[in-house]
């Protein structure tokens, strides 16, 4: 399968501290890959280097087979940054924020009827259709995260890159986010997620890449639950696990 | 309405309207990215331009535009690349600009501190035809940028990192905002003066957002408030011997206070409307549902 993201021998530093020490990461079309690791393991830096936000000191990045430096088809990528708590200084509605995500397709800033329909669809996908005219500042943390995901989906991307999409998100929103992501994957989207723990997204994930101190320590099926999560009495129920066969990228 | 027949008053009113439109139109993007005081710094730098204008006997408005644009670009570059010492570099630029202006105007044969005061605090009665031409052209540029590129500027001011990943030329757009802010400062300096320019960029926006929920409504209302207070202030100076800049800014602050007072009951009503959906109290039996806790 064609690699959508290809990171080879990537090294990066923040100041004088090496954060990535030569990592390889390949995401193929249609795959859902989770990037796991403790705080400071370099997972956020790895993702941000993929989209060119952190310059690499060595190695290479390719997106859709094109070297990052020459890559221009940004509309193919939907990016969900790690949620920032600070709202901006001026109120903005859900629709206004989501529409910003469509600019990668509407270069000149003029939204055609099709563009507007795509924005509406993205808002519906995350279940905020009744909040389009509300100020984002009035939303809960989970709803705010759904707005950021709708913004990424507005461009109808082929590749979704999400940095900790479940951090600080309430259970109801987690369920909606998992549903949204499942629909995207079913429609053929490729996904790279930074996660702190597998959580409710576990059944969707084909492959997990675990980082420790800027190096890849595991690249394969999602690691099995350990510790308390693996105890026999621990009822590991996911509401949607039944209708979604577990896919392991290595075996299919 | 007798003031409408006086040519100096016609010029003053035209300048006032242009300032009332452009200052909040640019200011909203500065407020959005929490750089509300940027306009103040640019105003300081503009003083060197005014001083240079007097020294070289050039039109101070154009000279100030040139120097201010260079200063604003320098500020933006410091913001982009400067790390920990960024604010020190900005302080040097601001106060250097101010001191430079005072020095240059004293060195020039025609300039005096009285001239400088008219730029610091605004002096509508001395606005010349030449000034009006310059102000109109500069205001047209500012409106073109702030309205024509509103979606792009909204995106970069809302979330710069995301805007980069959508492929927007963020660096270029940031510089464009800085240049437009600089241009607006010089548009406004004859009306409200360099020391109060920033107020007209920020206060109408702050007043508008007491009532609004969307960026679009904030933009429109801020421009309406800006135009309203500059016109009202200018007309006041025709009847009363008061400084225009101070009158306009005090009016804007009065509008801010009035709208804030008005907004409090409005917000309460909205909050009540939002609360009607779930019951205000917990259910008596307190049983947990299956999806309450997921592990």
């Amino acid at each position: 399968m064609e690699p959508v993201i290809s990171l080879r021998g990537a090294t990066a530093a923040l100041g004088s501290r090496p954060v990535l020490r030569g990592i390889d990461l390949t995401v193929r079309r249609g795959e859902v890959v989770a990037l796991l690791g403790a705080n400071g393991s370099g997972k956020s830096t790895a993702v941000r280097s993929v989209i060119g936000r952190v310059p690499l000191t060595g190695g290479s990045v390719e997106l859709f087979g094109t070297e990052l430096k020459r890559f221009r088809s940004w509309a193919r990528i939907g990016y969900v940054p790690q949620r920032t708590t600070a709202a901006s200084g001026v109120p903005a509605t859900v629709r206004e924020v989501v529409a910003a995500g469509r600019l990668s397709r509407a270069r000149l800033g003029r939204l055609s009827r099709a563009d507007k329909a795509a924005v509406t669809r993205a808002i519906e996908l995350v279940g905020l259709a009744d909040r389009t005219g509300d100020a984002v500042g009035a939303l809960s943390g989970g709803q705010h995260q759904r707005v950021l995901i709708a913004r990424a989906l507005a461009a109808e991307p082929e590749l979704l890159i999400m940095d900790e999409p479940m951090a600080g998100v309430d259970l109801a929103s987690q369920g909606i986010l998992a549903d949204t992501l499942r629909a995207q994957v079913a429609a053929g989207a490729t996904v790279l997620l930074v996660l702190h723990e597998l959580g409710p997204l576990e059944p969707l994930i084909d492959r997990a890449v675990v980082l420790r101190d800027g190096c890849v320590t595991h690249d394969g099926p999602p690691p099995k639950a350990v510790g308390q999560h693996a105890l026999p009495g621990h009822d590991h129920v996911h509401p949607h696990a039944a209708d979604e066969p577990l896919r392991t990228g290595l075996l299919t | 309405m007798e003031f409408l027949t006086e040519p100096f008053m016609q010029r003053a009113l035209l300048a006032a309207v242009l300032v009332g439109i452009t200052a909040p139109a640019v200011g909203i993007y500065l407020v959005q990215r929490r750089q509300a005081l940027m306009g103040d710094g640019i105003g300081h730098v503009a003083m060197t331009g005014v001083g240079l204008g007097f020294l070289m006997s050039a039109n101070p408005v154009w000279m100030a535009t040139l120097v201010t644009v260079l200063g604003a670009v320098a500020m933006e570059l410091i913001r982009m690349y400067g790390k920990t010492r960024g604010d020190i570099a900005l302080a040097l630029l601001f106060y250097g600009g101010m001191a430079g202006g005072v020095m240059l105007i004293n060195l020039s044969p025609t300039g005096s501190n009285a001239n400088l005061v008219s730029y610091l605090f605004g002096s509508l009665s001395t606005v010349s035809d030449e000034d009006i031409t310059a102000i109109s052209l500069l205001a047209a540029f500012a409106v073109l940028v702030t309205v024509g590129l509103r979606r792009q500027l909204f995106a970069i001011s809302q979330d710069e990192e995301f805007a980069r990943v959508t492929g927007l030329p963020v660096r270029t757009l940031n510089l464009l905002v800085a240049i437009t802010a600089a241009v607006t400062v010089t548009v406004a300096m004859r009306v409200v003066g360099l020391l109060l320019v920033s107020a007209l960029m920020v206060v109408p926006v702050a007043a508008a957002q007491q009532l609004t929920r969307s960026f679009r409504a904030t933009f429109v209302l801020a421009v309406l408030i800006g135009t309203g207070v500059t016109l009202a202030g200018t007309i006041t100076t025709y009847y009363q011997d008061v400084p225009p800049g101070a009158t306009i800014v005090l009016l804007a602050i009065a509008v801010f206070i009035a709208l804030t007072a008005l907004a409090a009951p409005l917000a309460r009503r909205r909050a009540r409307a939002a609360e009607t959906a779930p019951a205000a109290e917990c259910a008596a039996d307190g049983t947990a549902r299956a999806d309450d806790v997921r592990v």
Side-chain angles (χ1 to χ4, degrees), chain A residues 70-86:
Chain A
R70 279 183 251 287
F71 184 76
R72 293 288 175 274
S73 329
W74 291 105
R76 300 174 79 176
I77 297 179
Y79 175 56
V80 182
Q82 206 164 17
R83 190 162 60 88
T84 45
T85 43

Side-chain angles (χ1 to χ4, degrees), chain B residues 50-197:
Chain B
V50 172
L52 264 182
F54 275 105
L55 191 64
M56 298 164 67
S57 307
N59 181 324
V61 174
W62 286 119
M63 209 40 140
T65 307
L66 185 73
V67 171
T68 321
V69 164
L70 290 176
V73 168
M75 278 181 226
E76 188 53 36
L77 293 176
I78 289 171
R79 193 180 77 87
M80 268 188 236
Y81 301 108
K83 301 236 157 70
T84 45
R85 311 295 290 177
D87 57 335
I88 302 287
L90 288 181
L92 287 175
L93 197 65
F94 293 179
Y95 304 121
M98 196 156 187
V102 175
M103 182 59 81
L104 287 171
I105 206 154
N106 276 290
L107 290 178
S108 80
T110 52
S112 67
N113 277 338
N115 291 109
L116 194 58
V117 165
S118 84
Y119 285 91
L120 281 180
F121 297 106
S123 169
L124 277 168
S125 54
T126 59
V127 174
S128 66
D129 275 331
E130 203 185 342
D131 287 340
I132 282 291
T133 313
I135 290 174
S136 304
L137 287 173
L138 294 170
F141 168 78
V143 169
L144 212 64
V145 169
T146 54
V147 177
L149 294 174
R150 62 186 183 283
R151 283 189 191 280
Q152 290 89 335
L153 299 185
F154 170 83
I156 61 159
S157 307
Q158 178 80 18
D159 186 341
E160 194 172 304
E161 172 158 316
F162 178 81
R164 285 180 195 275
V165 183
T166 56
L168 284 175
V170 172
R171 204 166 297 176
T172 312
L173 289 169
N174 275 334
L175 284 173
L176 195 60
V177 170
I179 290 170
T180 311
V183 161
T184 307
V185 164
T186 47
V187 168
M189 76 179 172
R190 299 298 275 134
V191 179
V192 286
L194 290 172
L195 289 183
L196 291 172
V197 159

Side-chain angles (χ1 to χ4, degrees), chain A residues 4-5 27-28 30-34 47 50-51 63-64 74-81 125-126 148-163 165 177 180-194 204, chain B residues 162 165:
Chain A
V4 172
I5 298 174
V27 180
R28 288 172 203 84
E31 262 191 317
V32 180
V33 175
V47 157
V50 166
I51 51 166
L63 289 170
F64 296 97
W74 291 105
R76 300 174 79 176
I77 297 179
Y79 175 56
V80 182
L125 279 174
V126 298
L148 297 189
I149 290 175
R151 182 176 67 174
L153 295 177
E156 299 170 292
E158 298 161 52
L159 167 64
L160 273 172
I161 297 179
M162 307 174 142
D163 198 346
L177 288 184
T180 309
L181 206 56
R182 180 173 300 104
Q184 292 296 313
V185 172
T190 309
V191 183
L192 175 63
L193 295 150
V194 171
L204 282 171
Chain B
F162 178 81
V165 183

Side-chain angles (χ1 to χ4, degrees), chain A residues 48 51 53 74 77 79 81 87-93 96-97 99-101 103-104 107-109 111 133-135 151 171 174-175 200 234-235 237-239, chain B residues 28-29 31-34 148-152 154-155 157-159 161-162 164-169 205 209 212-218 291-295:
Chain A
R48 298 184 73 236
I51 51 166
R53 299 309 341 124
W74 291 105
I77 297 179
Y79 175 56
S88 80
V90 175
T93 62
E96 284 174 327
V97 172
L103 283 178
S104 54
R107 264 279 158 266
L108 298 173
L111 296 192
D134 287 0
R151 182 176 67 174
L171 282 179
Q174 284 195 5
H234 188 87
D235 194 9
V237 178
H238 296 282
Chain B
I28 193 168
Y29 299 108
V31 174
Q32 198 187 3
R33 42 173 155 167
R34 304 191 178 282
L149 294 174
R150 62 186 183 283
R151 283 189 191 280
Q152 290 89 335
F154 170 83
S157 307
Q158 178 80 18
D159 186 341
E161 172 158 316
F162 178 81
R164 285 180 195 275
V165 183
T166 56
L168 284 175
V205 177
Q209 55 174 277
T212 56
R213 278 183 294 183
S214 71
F215 184 82
R216 189 194 181 91
T218 311
D291 62 346
D292 276 353
V293 179
R294 191 195 298 155
V295 281

Side-chain angles (χ1 to χ4, degrees), chain B residues 269-286:
Chain B
R269 210 167 51 223
R270 268 183 202 154
R272 261 203 305 277
E275 268 170 20
T276 50
E281 285 172 34
C282 297
D285 57 353

Side-chain angles (χ1 to χ4, degrees), chain A residues 24-38:
Chain A
D24 294 306
L25 173 66
T26 307
V27 180
R28 288 172 203 84
R29 186 170 293 280
E31 262 191 317
V32 180
V33 175
L35 204 52
L36 302 165

